[in-house]
Structure formats: structure tokens, C-alpha cells
Amino acid sequence: ARGIQFWGGQTARSNSVTVKGNQVGNPISNDVDGVYAIGIAVQGSSNILITENTVYSESYVSRAISGIELGPESLTNSFGTVTVEKNKVLKVKSNSGASYGAYGINISSGHGHVIRNNFISGVINSQRGAGGLALTSAPVGIRLSEGNNHRVLHNSVHLYGTIAPGASAVNISAAIGIAGTGQTGIWIINNILSNQISSNVNTLTYQLIFQLPYTIPNADRNVLINNNAYYLGTNPNMFLAKIGTIDPPTSNQIYDLDDFNASVTTPAANFRNYTSQIGNTSNDNASFATTNAPPFVSDSDLHIPTAYNTQLESGGANVSVLDDIDGDVRTTTPDIGADEITAPSSAPAILSGRVLSSGMRGLNGARITVMGGNLLQPRTVIVNGFGYYRFEQLEAGQTYIVSVSARGAVFADPIRVINLDTDLTGLDFYALP
């Protein structure tokens, strides 16, 4: 059920724990093998670092599931600050016959945790049961269910897919959500928050960027929200935010994206009117909201192409995050999201990765072909016995098409279009069972 679990106790905690560089779970949807509850679960340490992991979780069981979970046993004082950075949570999918929560990163215990420079995508559930409108039964990219003074900085969150109508025709999803009315001191700054989930049209269906519990005015909560990019789909069920804890919400507890105006705090229908009253009057004055498609390379690759130059570029605030998910240095006017948009290098670039069978072993004899860019003709290599391939001397700043083929194998995603700005490792291909 759990890929990696550190189960430190409250009274005898460790001095430090690092979880780094692991692939947890199975990227292939609906495969019978994989992690089906929590990818990485940690508690009970004075210093925890979770970094550079790739996580997949998919479930048919009757319980909430998570990609990364902090404090699953709700031992409120069981650890000190946790840093969750540079991870890729690329699938958290609940297929249960009822509506159970699916959370990309879930904080259920402790205070002062730092969530920064993460990619979170593919978080979704079945919504076939009568789950209601609470965060406990919803797909949520980043869920803050307990604790104060958390820092959510420079993350890229992207929800996508289709949710069928529930038993009571109630659907809800959120790119980010705070659960407790008493949680204070939370920062949500420099994030790309995208919700593109589609569903049936129903008056009790809400696909959201935010779910926030606070009534207003409530400035003593000291919540800072700013320099974020809000990307929302266009169907009638899409809303920028749902606030409060009343279900179903009243009309003044729902905020439309069309009403968002960062330059003013009025009228009451403007989401900035709300955020300016839960911590700081300047909240959201440097955020933007749009129904344009988020500019990611793909649903599972949340990098931003170099050619993309809009409000994301240098639109962030300096919050002392020194680099991005790839280790690229951030400037004093950083970009919004986990990926700092860098100019292409003039040096040759390397492209490499693996080809894996449905059993997650190297697929010997598979062929990888790269074309496009400045190449006069395609280049092809045969992977080695462990499934690895490598192309060198590719011109950076070019767009390439990479494809895979192997005798007797069918691939989930056999053709990729990439913008190669610098060395790209880990471009992996997965054969279906």
C-alpha cells in the first residue's frame, strides 16, 4: 500500500531523514501492480527532506490516497519542519466505487512545512459516491489539512481528466485547499495552479483553483496569497474559489474567474476582495487568472517552453528560493511556477532515458529515434540491455520529436515532442502489459 514509509514515533524521534531520488509506483494507468495508498509517508523526525522523487499512486480501495503525506497518523507535534522540494507527483488516481480523497501532497500534521519547486499533476478520483463537497472526498493537488505557518512556494499544479457524476450529482476538485478554519500563517506564493478537470453540468459541481475555509473579515489568519498564476478550464463548472464550510455554498461563497481583478479589491464578487481580508490587503495584487490553456510541455511534463514569454516570466516575488526543480538558478525577479524559464544554451545538449517493459525492466532491443530541430536526418539508437539510451551533440534551443518502437510492444506514449533547452535526462518510455 505504501511505497516508502518512515514511521518515527512521537516520543523517540530521529534527528534527520532524507528520501531522495526514488521512483515510487507505476506510471501506467489501470495496471494491477503498483503503490495503492501513499507513495511516500513520513513522520517522527526533527528534520525531514523529501526531494527529487517521482511518485505514482493508483487505488481501488475505500480510503483516501496520497502521493506524498506528512504525518499520516496526525501526531501534531511528532516532527519539526519538513521540506518537500523538486519532486514530481504525476499520478494520484482513486478508482473506488465511492468518492474518496486523492491528494498530490497532503499535510496532515506538524507546523512550518515547506512545499516548493514540485510538479503535481494527474490527481483525480472517480466521484461515483455521495462524497459531498469537503476536501476529504476530493482530488486536491496540495492539501493543507493541519498545522500553521506552512510555505507553499514555486509549485506547478495541474489537474486534468474527466470526472463522472457522483451518486448525489456532487463533484468537487481543487488545485489547492486549506481544510481548517483555525490554520494561520500560511503562504501561497509564486505557484502555477491549474484545474482543467471536466465534469457534467450540475449546480452542485465545482472544479476549483482554491478551496478555503475562512469567513471574512479574518485578517488574524495571516494568510499570504500572491504572485500566483490561475489557469482554469472553460466549462460552466469551473470556479476560481469556494470559501467557507457550508455545503452547498451560498452564492457569495463562490468566486468566478471572470470576476477576478488584481488591480482592485472591489466589488465583493472579486476574489481579491476575499484574499485581501484574510491576511494582507495586498494579497493577489500581483497574481493573474486566465482561461487560456496552461503553457506546459504536456499534462505530465510541467516545464515551460523557452519561447513562452508572458506574465509567468519574472512574475514571481523573491521568497529566497534560490533555484528551480532542475537546479537552474533563479533571479531576484523569479518566474512563477516550479520551472525557471531559461534562455537556450549555445552548447550541445544531451538527451537520454530508458525504455521499460510493463514489468518495469529494461526493454532490450527497443529503438529510439529523434528528428526535427536542426537535424538533417533522423538519428536512431538501439537501447542497451538495461533499457538505456543516449543522444549527444543535439543543438540546444530546438524542438525535437522523439519516438520509440520495439517488436511485440505497445507503448502508452510512443511519441514525445520536447523543447531541448539544456541536457534532458530521464525521458523514459513505458510499454503496456
Side-chain angles (χ1 to χ4, degrees):
R2 302 185 182 194
I4 296 173
Q5 175 172 287
F6 180 80
W7 207 247
Q10 185 169 3
T11 58
R13 63 187 181 192
S14 301
N15 291 325
S16 70
V17 173
T18 297
V19 183
K20 180 178 181 180
N22 305 282
Q23 178 169 305
V24 179
N26 189 338
I28 301 173
S29 293
N30 304 313
D31 199 304
V32 296
D33 295 317
V35 173
Y36 63 85
I38 303 175
I40 299 172
V42 295
Q43 69 177 39
S45 173
S46 59
N47 181 25
I48 297 175
L49 174 63
I50 303 173
T51 185
E52 299 176 32
N53 303 283
T54 302
V55 180
Y56 308 88
S57 178
E58 184 168 8
S59 170
Y60 290 84
V61 301
S62 299
R63 59 152 294 161
I65 64 173
S66 302
I68 297 174
E69 177 99 13
L70 309 185
E73 293 302 289
S74 295
L75 300 178
T76 303
N77 299 311
S78 65
F79 45 66
T81 299
V82 179
T83 298
V84 182
E85 67 175 2
K86 301 181 180 179
N87 300 283
K88 298 177 182 179
V89 179
L90 301 182
K91 181 181 67 173
V92 182
K93 183 181 181 184
S94 172
N95 302 299
S96 173
S99 296
Y100 288 92
Y103 319 133
I105 296 175
N106 186 38
I107 296 178
S108 58
S109 182
H111 302 285
H113 302 321
V114 179
I115 312 297
R116 66 189 180 200
N117 281 336
N118 299 285
F119 286 170
I120 303 167
S121 70
V123 180
I124 198 165
N125 69 355
S126 62
Q127 293 278 343
R128 290 181 290 187
L133 299 177
L135 289 178
T136 54
S137 57
V140 187
I142 298 176
R143 180 175 181 264
L144 312 176
S145 66
E146 295 285 348
N148 304 322
N149 302 318
H150 302 310
R151 302 289 183 257
V152 181
L153 311 171
H154 282 293
N155 300 281
S156 296
V157 179
H158 178 52
L159 307 190
Y160 64 92
T162 301
I163 293 179
S168 62
V170 172
N171 291 332
I172 186 172
S173 64
I176 189 167
I178 299 174
T181 59
Q183 290 178 256
T184 63
I186 292 171
W187 292 10
I188 302 172
I189 299 175
N190 295 345
N191 302 281
I192 299 176
L193 302 173
S194 165
N195 191 341
Q196 308 295 315
I197 287 178
S198 61
S199 61
N200 68 312
V201 177
N202 185 277
T203 56
L204 293 180
T205 296
Y206 303 94
Q207 315 302 352
L208 312 165
I209 297 296
F210 282 99
Q211 166 116 349
L212 299 170
Y214 309 112
T215 57
I216 53 175
N218 211 332
D220 61 341
R221 291 294 171 248
N222 295 313
V223 176
L224 300 186
I225 301 175
N226 215 341
N227 298 86
N228 299 301
Y230 308 133
Y231 289 88
L232 201 60
T234 57
N235 77 52
N237 306 108
M238 297 292 187
F239 301 94
L240 186 56
K242 172 182 173 291
I243 68 168
T245 58
I246 299 173
D247 293 326
T250 60
S251 59
N252 63 353
Q253 294 176 311
I254 293 293
Y255 292 87
D256 290 319
L257 181 142
D258 291 341
D259 295 323
F260 179 76
N261 186 342
S263 63
V264 295
T265 59
T266 57
N270 182 0
F271 183 57
R272 205 187 147 214
N273 176 272
Y274 172 79
T275 56
S276 68
Q277 297 185 65
I278 61 172
N280 192 302
T281 56
S282 64
N283 273 353
D284 266 331
N285 67 355
S287 300
F288 72 90
T290 180
T291 56
N292 293 336
F296 302 128
V297 171
S298 69
D299 285 336
S300 58
D301 184 351
L302 305 190
H303 287 94
I304 307 297
T306 298
Y308 190 84
N309 184 15
T310 65
Q311 290 164 282
L312 295 178
E313 182 80 37
S314 301
N318 188 349
V319 288
S320 299
V321 177
L322 302 181
D323 60 3
D324 74 349
I325 189 170
D326 304 308
D328 296 332
V329 175
R330 292 194 183 274
T331 67
T332 55
T333 54
D335 299 338
I336 299 173
D339 179 28
E340 187 78 5
I341 307 169
T342 56
S345 169
S346 59
I350 296 170
L351 171 67
S352 64
R354 293 185 74 188
V355 181
L356 298 167
S357 70
S358 59
M360 302 303 289
R361 297 187 178 185
L363 193 59
N364 190 19
R367 299 169 62 90
I368 297 288
T369 299
V370 60
M371 64 182 69
N374 67 329
L375 295 176
L376 298 178
Q377 60 185 14
R379 292 171 58 183
T380 298
V381 297
I382 307 298
V383 305
N384 66 19
F386 296 100
Y388 289 99
Y389 72 90
R390 180 181 176 94
F391 292 95
E392 298 184 352
Q393 298 298 314
L394 294 173
E395 183 176 325
Q398 300 286 335
T399 299
Y400 295 94
I401 300 171
V402 187
S403 60
V404 62
S405 63
R407 182 176 298 177
V410 177
F411 294 87
D413 194 5
I415 300 175
R416 311 275 186 88
V417 178
I418 62 166
N419 296 288
L420 192 64
D421 298 325
T422 185
D423 291 347
L424 175 59
T425 60
L427 185 69
D428 299 339
F429 293 85
Y430 301 93
L432 296 171

PDB file of all heavy atoms in Angstrom, residues 156-189:
ATOM      1  N   SER A 156       4.155  23.901  -9.405  1.00  0.00           N
ATOM      2  CA  SER A 156       3.300  23.838 -10.590  1.00  0.00           C
ATOM      3  C   SER A 156       2.316  22.699 -10.389  1.00  0.00           C
ATOM      4  O   SER A 156       2.715  21.530 -10.284  1.00  0.00           O
ATOM      5  CB  SER A 156       4.128  23.606 -11.855  1.00  0.00           C
ATOM      6  OG  SER A 156       4.996  24.697 -12.100  1.00  0.00           O
ATOM      7  N   VAL A 157       1.030  23.033 -10.305  1.00  0.00           N
ATOM      8  CA  VAL A 157      -0.035  22.062 -10.050  1.00  0.00           C
ATOM      9  C   VAL A 157      -0.974  22.058 -11.244  1.00  0.00           C
ATOM     10  O   VAL A 157      -1.428  23.126 -11.698  1.00  0.00           O
ATOM     11  CB  VAL A 157      -0.820  22.423  -8.769  1.00  0.00           C
ATOM     12  CG1 VAL A 157      -1.942  21.420  -8.528  1.00  0.00           C
ATOM     13  CG2 VAL A 157       0.114  22.488  -7.571  1.00  0.00           C
ATOM     14  N   HIS A 158      -1.286  20.861 -11.746  1.00  0.00           N
ATOM     15  CA  HIS A 158      -2.118  20.753 -12.955  1.00  0.00           C
ATOM     16  C   HIS A 158      -3.055  19.554 -12.809  1.00  0.00           C
ATOM     17  O   HIS A 158      -2.629  18.404 -12.850  1.00  0.00           O
ATOM     18  CB  HIS A 158      -1.214  20.583 -14.174  1.00  0.00           C
ATOM     19  CG  HIS A 158      -1.938  20.406 -15.475  1.00  0.00           C
ATOM     20  ND1 HIS A 158      -2.924  21.263 -15.906  1.00  0.00           N
ATOM     21  CD2 HIS A 158      -1.817  19.447 -16.442  1.00  0.00           C
ATOM     22  CE1 HIS A 158      -3.370  20.860 -17.090  1.00  0.00           C
ATOM     23  NE2 HIS A 158      -2.721  19.762 -17.431  1.00  0.00           N
ATOM     24  N   LEU A 159      -4.352  19.838 -12.611  1.00  0.00           N
ATOM     25  CA  LEU A 159      -5.369  18.792 -12.572  1.00  0.00           C
ATOM     26  C   LEU A 159      -6.022  18.695 -13.943  1.00  0.00           C
ATOM     27  O   LEU A 159      -6.349  19.718 -14.560  1.00  0.00           O
ATOM     28  CB  LEU A 159      -6.433  19.104 -11.513  1.00  0.00           C
ATOM     29  CG  LEU A 159      -5.959  19.394 -10.085  1.00  0.00           C
ATOM     30  CD1 LEU A 159      -7.163  19.445  -9.137  1.00  0.00           C
ATOM     31  CD2 LEU A 159      -4.935  18.395  -9.603  1.00  0.00           C
ATOM     32  N   TYR A 160      -6.233  17.472 -14.419  1.00  0.00           N
ATOM     33  CA  TYR A 160      -6.836  17.283 -15.727  1.00  0.00           C
ATOM     34  C   TYR A 160      -7.576  15.949 -15.752  1.00  0.00           C
ATOM     35  O   TYR A 160      -7.450  15.125 -14.842  1.00  0.00           O
ATOM     36  CB  TYR A 160      -5.784  17.332 -16.840  1.00  0.00           C
ATOM     37  CG  TYR A 160      -4.768  16.207 -16.777  1.00  0.00           C
ATOM     38  CD1 TYR A 160      -4.965  15.014 -17.467  1.00  0.00           C
ATOM     39  CD2 TYR A 160      -3.604  16.324 -16.011  1.00  0.00           C
ATOM     40  CE1 TYR A 160      -4.040  13.979 -17.404  1.00  0.00           C
ATOM     41  CE2 TYR A 160      -2.676  15.305 -15.946  1.00  0.00           C
ATOM     42  CZ  TYR A 160      -2.899  14.132 -16.642  1.00  0.00           C
ATOM     43  OH  TYR A 160      -1.993  13.112 -16.564  1.00  0.00           O
ATOM     44  N   GLY A 161      -8.352  15.716 -16.804  1.00  0.00           N
ATOM     45  CA  GLY A 161      -9.121  14.489 -16.934  1.00  0.00           C
ATOM     46  C   GLY A 161     -10.613  14.760 -16.796  1.00  0.00           C
ATOM     47  O   GLY A 161     -11.070  15.903 -16.734  1.00  0.00           O
ATOM     48  N   THR A 162     -11.398  13.684 -16.720  1.00  0.00           N
ATOM     49  CA  THR A 162     -12.851  13.780 -16.643  1.00  0.00           C
ATOM     50  C   THR A 162     -13.354  13.044 -15.414  1.00  0.00           C
ATOM     51  O   THR A 162     -12.945  11.910 -15.150  1.00  0.00           O
ATOM     52  CB  THR A 162     -13.507  13.196 -17.898  1.00  0.00           C
ATOM     53  OG1 THR A 162     -13.035  13.905 -19.048  1.00  0.00           O
ATOM     54  CG2 THR A 162     -15.026  13.314 -17.827  1.00  0.00           C
ATOM     55  N   ILE A 163     -14.238  13.695 -14.659  1.00  0.00           N
ATOM     56  CA  ILE A 163     -14.905  13.077 -13.515  1.00  0.00           C
ATOM     57  C   ILE A 163     -16.364  12.854 -13.873  1.00  0.00           C
ATOM     58  O   ILE A 163     -17.051  13.783 -14.303  1.00  0.00           O
ATOM     59  CB  ILE A 163     -14.803  13.954 -12.254  1.00  0.00           C
ATOM     60  CG1 ILE A 163     -13.343  14.042 -11.783  1.00  0.00           C
ATOM     61  CG2 ILE A 163     -15.673  13.413 -11.132  1.00  0.00           C
ATOM     62  CD1 ILE A 163     -13.151  14.905 -10.552  1.00  0.00           C
ATOM     63  N   ALA A 164     -16.838  11.628 -13.698  1.00  0.00           N
ATOM     64  CA  ALA A 164     -18.243  11.320 -13.959  1.00  0.00           C
ATOM     65  C   ALA A 164     -19.108  11.837 -12.821  1.00  0.00           C
ATOM     66  O   ALA A 164     -18.617  12.080 -11.714  1.00  0.00           O
ATOM     67  CB  ALA A 164     -18.421   9.809 -14.121  1.00  0.00           C
ATOM     68  N   PRO A 165     -20.415  12.006 -13.045  1.00  0.00           N
ATOM     69  CA  PRO A 165     -21.287  12.477 -11.967  1.00  0.00           C
ATOM     70  C   PRO A 165     -21.354  11.498 -10.814  1.00  0.00           C
ATOM     71  O   PRO A 165     -21.360  10.284 -11.005  1.00  0.00           O
ATOM     72  CB  PRO A 165     -22.646  12.633 -12.647  1.00  0.00           C
ATOM     73  CG  PRO A 165     -22.571  11.766 -13.859  1.00  0.00           C
ATOM     74  CD  PRO A 165     -21.148  11.795 -14.290  1.00  0.00           C
ATOM     75  N   GLY A 166     -21.399  12.027  -9.606  1.00  0.00           N
ATOM     76  CA  GLY A 166     -21.477  11.189  -8.419  1.00  0.00           C
ATOM     77  C   GLY A 166     -22.889  10.701  -8.148  1.00  0.00           C
ATOM     78  O   GLY A 166     -23.849  11.096  -8.810  1.00  0.00           O
ATOM     79  N   ALA A 167     -23.028   9.847  -7.146  1.00  0.00           N
ATOM     80  CA  ALA A 167     -24.326   9.275  -6.827  1.00  0.00           C
ATOM     81  C   ALA A 167     -25.334  10.351  -6.452  1.00  0.00           C
ATOM     82  O   ALA A 167     -26.532  10.213  -6.705  1.00  0.00           O
ATOM     83  CB  ALA A 167     -24.177   8.266  -5.687  1.00  0.00           C
ATOM     84  N   SER A 168     -24.853  11.442  -5.846  1.00  0.00           N
ATOM     85  CA  SER A 168     -25.744  12.540  -5.498  1.00  0.00           C
ATOM     86  C   SER A 168     -25.516  13.742  -6.405  1.00  0.00           C
ATOM     87  O   SER A 168     -25.912  14.851  -6.078  1.00  0.00           O
ATOM     88  CB  SER A 168     -25.513  12.941  -4.042  1.00  0.00           C
ATOM     89  OG  SER A 168     -24.184  13.395  -3.868  1.00  0.00           O
ATOM     90  N   ALA A 169     -24.877  13.488  -7.577  1.00  0.00           N
ATOM     91  CA  ALA A 169     -24.574  14.539  -8.549  1.00  0.00           C
ATOM     92  C   ALA A 169     -23.728  15.649  -7.933  1.00  0.00           C
ATOM     93  O   ALA A 169     -23.905  16.816  -8.232  1.00  0.00           O
ATOM     94  CB  ALA A 169     -25.853  15.108  -9.153  1.00  0.00           C
ATOM     95  N   VAL A 170     -22.792  15.278  -7.056  1.00  0.00           N
ATOM     96  CA  VAL A 170     -21.921  16.241  -6.391  1.00  0.00           C
ATOM     97  C   VAL A 170     -20.475  15.953  -6.797  1.00  0.00           C
ATOM     98  O   VAL A 170     -19.991  14.839  -6.612  1.00  0.00           O
ATOM     99  CB  VAL A 170     -22.059  16.167  -4.857  1.00  0.00           C
ATOM    100  CG1 VAL A 170     -21.000  17.025  -4.193  1.00  0.00           C
ATOM    101  CG2 VAL A 170     -23.447  16.600  -4.433  1.00  0.00           C
ATOM    102  N   ASN A 171     -19.814  16.937  -7.352  1.00  0.00           N
ATOM    103  CA  ASN A 171     -18.407  16.825  -7.712  1.00  0.00           C
ATOM    104  C   ASN A 171     -17.643  18.014  -7.160  1.00  0.00           C
ATOM    105  O   ASN A 171     -18.166  19.124  -7.120  1.00  0.00           O
ATOM    106  CB  ASN A 171     -18.210  16.817  -9.237  1.00  0.00           C
ATOM    107  CG  ASN A 171     -18.721  15.564  -9.891  1.00  0.00           C
ATOM    108  OD1 ASN A 171     -18.756  14.515  -9.282  1.00  0.00           O
ATOM    109  ND2 ASN A 171     -19.127  15.687 -11.146  1.00  0.00           N
ATOM    110  N   ILE A 172     -16.412  17.789  -6.763  1.00  0.00           N
ATOM    111  CA  ILE A 172     -15.547  18.887  -6.369  1.00  0.00           C
ATOM    112  C   ILE A 172     -14.105  18.472  -6.597  1.00  0.00           C
ATOM    113  O   ILE A 172     -13.744  17.302  -6.434  1.00  0.00           O
ATOM    114  CB  ILE A 172     -15.773  19.309  -4.895  1.00  0.00           C
ATOM    115  CG1 ILE A 172     -14.963  20.559  -4.562  1.00  0.00           C
ATOM    116  CG2 ILE A 172     -15.451  18.173  -3.941  1.00  0.00           C
ATOM    117  CD1 ILE A 172     -15.274  21.145  -3.208  1.00  0.00           C
ATOM    118  N   SER A 173     -13.277  19.419  -7.026  1.00  0.00           N
ATOM    119  CA  SER A 173     -11.831  19.229  -7.105  1.00  0.00           C
ATOM    120  C   SER A 173     -11.192  20.582  -6.848  1.00  0.00           C
ATOM    121  O   SER A 173     -11.824  21.622  -7.027  1.00  0.00           O
ATOM    122  CB  SER A 173     -11.415  18.690  -8.475  1.00  0.00           C
ATOM    123  OG  SER A 173     -11.714  19.630  -9.500  1.00  0.00           O
ATOM    124  N   ALA A 174      -9.922  20.567  -6.430  1.00  0.00           N
ATOM    125  CA  ALA A 174      -9.236  21.825  -6.129  1.00  0.00           C
ATOM    126  C   ALA A 174      -7.747  21.673  -6.392  1.00  0.00           C
ATOM    127  O   ALA A 174      -7.142  20.660  -6.006  1.00  0.00           O
ATOM    128  CB  ALA A 174      -9.474  22.243  -4.680  1.00  0.00           C
ATOM    129  N   ALA A 175      -7.155  22.668  -7.024  1.00  0.00           N
ATOM    130  CA  ALA A 175      -5.701  22.657  -7.196  1.00  0.00           C
ATOM    131  C   ALA A 175      -5.004  22.766  -5.847  1.00  0.00           C
ATOM    132  O   ALA A 175      -3.960  22.144  -5.628  1.00  0.00           O
ATOM    133  CB  ALA A 175      -5.269  23.798  -8.120  1.00  0.00           C
ATOM    134  N   ILE A 176      -5.578  23.560  -4.926  1.00  0.00           N
ATOM    135  CA  ILE A 176      -5.013  23.695  -3.591  1.00  0.00           C
ATOM    136  C   ILE A 176      -6.149  23.949  -2.614  1.00  0.00           C
ATOM    137  O   ILE A 176      -7.145  24.594  -2.959  1.00  0.00           O
ATOM    138  CB  ILE A 176      -3.971  24.840  -3.534  1.00  0.00           C
ATOM    139  CG1 ILE A 176      -3.217  24.829  -2.204  1.00  0.00           C
ATOM    140  CG2 ILE A 176      -4.604  26.192  -3.802  1.00  0.00           C
ATOM    141  CD1 ILE A 176      -1.975  25.717  -2.206  1.00  0.00           C
ATOM    142  N   GLY A 177      -6.014  23.420  -1.400  1.00  0.00           N
ATOM    143  CA  GLY A 177      -7.051  23.612  -0.410  1.00  0.00           C
ATOM    144  C   GLY A 177      -6.502  23.657   1.002  1.00  0.00           C
ATOM    145  O   GLY A 177      -5.564  22.935   1.340  1.00  0.00           O
ATOM    146  N   ILE A 178      -7.069  24.535   1.806  1.00  0.00           N
ATOM    147  CA  ILE A 178      -6.818  24.582   3.254  1.00  0.00           C
ATOM    148  C   ILE A 178      -8.066  24.056   3.934  1.00  0.00           C
ATOM    149  O   ILE A 178      -9.178  24.500   3.618  1.00  0.00           O
ATOM    150  CB  ILE A 178      -6.491  26.011   3.717  1.00  0.00           C
ATOM    151  CG1 ILE A 178      -5.235  26.534   3.016  1.00  0.00           C
ATOM    152  CG2 ILE A 178      -6.309  26.060   5.231  1.00  0.00           C
ATOM    153  CD1 ILE A 178      -4.934  27.994   3.315  1.00  0.00           C
ATOM    154  N   ALA A 179      -7.907  23.148   4.878  1.00  0.00           N
ATOM    155  CA  ALA A 179      -9.065  22.489   5.476  1.00  0.00           C
ATOM    156  C   ALA A 179      -9.549  23.154   6.756  1.00  0.00           C
ATOM    157  O   ALA A 179     -10.751  23.244   6.993  1.00  0.00           O
ATOM    158  CB  ALA A 179      -8.743  21.015   5.744  1.00  0.00           C
ATOM    159  N   GLY A 180      -8.636  23.593   7.629  1.00  0.00           N
ATOM    160  CA  GLY A 180      -9.017  24.016   8.970  1.00  0.00           C
ATOM    161  C   GLY A 180      -9.276  25.504   9.085  1.00  0.00           C
ATOM    162  O   GLY A 180      -8.467  26.328   8.631  1.00  0.00           O
ATOM    163  N   THR A 181     -10.377  25.883   9.707  1.00  0.00           N
ATOM    164  CA  THR A 181     -10.694  27.300   9.882  1.00  0.00           C
ATOM    165  C   THR A 181      -9.706  28.002  10.802  1.00  0.00           C
ATOM    166  O   THR A 181      -9.596  29.227  10.773  1.00  0.00           O
ATOM    167  CB  THR A 181     -12.108  27.458  10.448  1.00  0.00           C
ATOM    168  OG1 THR A 181     -12.191  26.766  11.705  1.00  0.00           O
ATOM    169  CG2 THR A 181     -13.147  26.903   9.488  1.00  0.00           C
ATOM    170  N   GLY A 182      -8.976  27.251  11.622  1.00  0.00           N
ATOM    171  CA  GLY A 182      -8.030  27.857  12.556  1.00  0.00           C
ATOM    172  C   GLY A 182      -6.595  27.864  12.090  1.00  0.00           C
ATOM    173  O   GLY A 182      -5.708  28.306  12.830  1.00  0.00           O
ATOM    174  N   GLN A 183      -6.305  27.399  10.883  1.00  0.00           N
ATOM    175  CA  GLN A 183      -4.931  27.372  10.392  1.00  0.00           C
ATOM    176  C   GLN A 183      -4.463  28.786  10.047  1.00  0.00           C
ATOM    177  O   GLN A 183      -5.166  29.527   9.351  1.00  0.00           O
ATOM    178  CB  GLN A 183      -4.823  26.462   9.167  1.00  0.00           C
ATOM    179  CG  GLN A 183      -4.993  24.981   9.498  1.00  0.00           C
ATOM    180  CD  GLN A 183      -4.937  24.101   8.265  1.00  0.00           C
ATOM    181  OE1 GLN A 183      -5.946  23.626   7.782  1.00  0.00           O
ATOM    182  NE2 GLN A 183      -3.718  23.892   7.758  1.00  0.00           N
ATOM    183  N   THR A 184      -3.260  29.149  10.501  1.00  0.00           N
ATOM    184  CA  THR A 184      -2.774  30.515  10.359  1.00  0.00           C
ATOM    185  C   THR A 184      -1.390  30.546   9.731  1.00  0.00           C
ATOM    186  O   THR A 184      -0.666  29.544   9.702  1.00  0.00           O
ATOM    187  CB  THR A 184      -2.718  31.227  11.718  1.00  0.00           C
ATOM    188  OG1 THR A 184      -1.769  30.553  12.562  1.00  0.00           O
ATOM    189  CG2 THR A 184      -4.075  31.230  12.395  1.00  0.00           C
ATOM    190  N   GLY A 185      -0.998  31.742   9.259  1.00  0.00           N
ATOM    191  CA  GLY A 185       0.376  31.993   8.817  1.00  0.00           C
ATOM    192  C   GLY A 185       0.796  31.269   7.567  1.00  0.00           C
ATOM    193  O   GLY A 185       1.993  31.108   7.318  1.00  0.00           O
ATOM    194  N   ILE A 186      -0.131  30.832   6.721  1.00  0.00           N
ATOM    195  CA  ILE A 186       0.201  30.061   5.525  1.00  0.00           C
ATOM    196  C   ILE A 186       0.530  31.014   4.374  1.00  0.00           C
ATOM    197  O   ILE A 186      -0.152  32.013   4.161  1.00  0.00           O
ATOM    198  CB  ILE A 186      -0.963  29.129   5.154  1.00  0.00           C
ATOM    199  CG1 ILE A 186      -1.111  28.036   6.234  1.00  0.00           C
ATOM    200  CG2 ILE A 186      -0.757  28.495   3.788  1.00  0.00           C
ATOM    201  CD1 ILE A 186      -2.350  27.199   6.090  1.00  0.00           C
ATOM    202  N   TRP A 187       1.608  30.694   3.628  1.00  0.00           N
ATOM    203  CA  TRP A 187       1.979  31.439   2.430  1.00  0.00           C
ATOM    204  C   TRP A 187       1.700  30.580   1.200  1.00  0.00           C
ATOM    205  O   TRP A 187       2.095  29.403   1.142  1.00  0.00           O
ATOM    206  CB  TRP A 187       3.463  31.783   2.417  1.00  0.00           C
ATOM    207  CG  TRP A 187       3.916  32.767   3.450  1.00  0.00           C
ATOM    208  CD1 TRP A 187       3.220  33.254   4.517  1.00  0.00           C
ATOM    209  CD2 TRP A 187       5.206  33.386   3.507  1.00  0.00           C
ATOM    210  NE1 TRP A 187       3.966  34.132   5.240  1.00  0.00           N
ATOM    211  CE2 TRP A 187       5.208  34.237   4.641  1.00  0.00           C
ATOM    212  CE3 TRP A 187       6.343  33.308   2.718  1.00  0.00           C
ATOM    213  CZ2 TRP A 187       6.316  34.996   5.006  1.00  0.00           C
ATOM    214  CZ3 TRP A 187       7.458  34.058   3.070  1.00  0.00           C
ATOM    215  CH2 TRP A 187       7.439  34.903   4.197  1.00  0.00           C
ATOM    216  N   ILE A 188       1.056  31.154   0.199  1.00  0.00           N
ATOM    217  CA  ILE A 188       0.843  30.511  -1.099  1.00  0.00           C
ATOM    218  C   ILE A 188       1.304  31.519  -2.143  1.00  0.00           C
ATOM    219  O   ILE A 188       0.565  32.429  -2.535  1.00  0.00           O
ATOM    220  CB  ILE A 188      -0.626  30.115  -1.297  1.00  0.00           C
ATOM    221  CG1 ILE A 188      -1.084  29.168  -0.175  1.00  0.00           C
ATOM    222  CG2 ILE A 188      -0.834  29.456  -2.663  1.00  0.00           C
ATOM    223  CD1 ILE A 188      -2.567  28.867  -0.179  1.00  0.00           C
ATOM    224  N   ILE A 189       2.566  31.398  -2.578  1.00  0.00           N
ATOM    225  CA  ILE A 189       3.214  32.446  -3.370  1.00  0.00           C
ATOM    226  C   ILE A 189       3.981  31.810  -4.537  1.00  0.00           C
ATOM    227  O   ILE A 189       4.642  30.776  -4.381  1.00  0.00           O
ATOM    228  CB  ILE A 189       4.179  33.274  -2.495  1.00  0.00           C
ATOM    229  CG1 ILE A 189       3.401  33.960  -1.355  1.00  0.00           C
ATOM    230  CG2 ILE A 189       4.928  34.314  -3.315  1.00  0.00           C
ATOM    231  CD1 ILE A 189       4.275  34.699  -0.361  1.00  0.00           C
TER     232      ILE A 189
END
